[in-house]
Amino acid sequence: MSSSPENSASESETIALCESEIASFTAQRDDCVRRVRELMAAEDMAKGIFHSEEIFLLQRDKLRLEVEIQFRTNKINRIRKGYSDEAGGPDAGGLLF
């Protein structure tokens, strides 16, 4: 599959954008993991100190960030393999498995 220089530049820009988003999401995910560990270490059952709600919300956010990272990684892989996100492309109308 040959692609035009304009299309190739657009694909390169999209890949670069996805990679920067992945880096941002990874940093956010790592912050969530660090904060969960801090909160779990700060809990004291004897004194009645619990952070269960905040831990739950952080873990949920961590999972969301992992999905975002995987989505961007899949998008980069689709671009590199030549699949199109445009209507009528090979993945139109459904998910690629």
Side-chain angles (χ1 to χ4, degrees), residues 6-76:
E6 291 175 2
N7 193 21
S8 180
S10 174
E11 289 174 354
S12 296
E13 291 171 0
T14 302
I15 289 172
L17 175 64
C18 287
E19 288 173 342
S20 68
E21 290 174 338
I22 288 171
S24 174
F25 291 139
T26 300
Q28 291 175 43
R29 183 198 61 199
D30 293 345
D31 287 341
C32 285
V33 170
R34 179 191 51 78
R35 184 70 180 134
V36 165
R37 288 181 181 156
E38 289 173 355
L39 289 170
M40 290 175 90
E43 287 186 326
D44 187 352
M45 289 187 209
K47 293 181 182 176
I49 300 173
F50 301 100
H51 303 288
S52 57
E53 183 176 356
E54 191 172 355
I55 290 170
F56 171 78
L57 294 174
L58 285 166
Q59 288 175 331
R60 184 183 66 184
D61 201 33
K62 176 186 157 269
L63 292 172
R64 179 191 61 82
L65 291 164
E66 287 176 348
V67 169
E68 293 290 347
I69 291 166
Q70 189 62 50
F71 177 78
R72 300 310 188 283
T73 302
N74 291 347
K75 185 172 184 175
I76 290 170

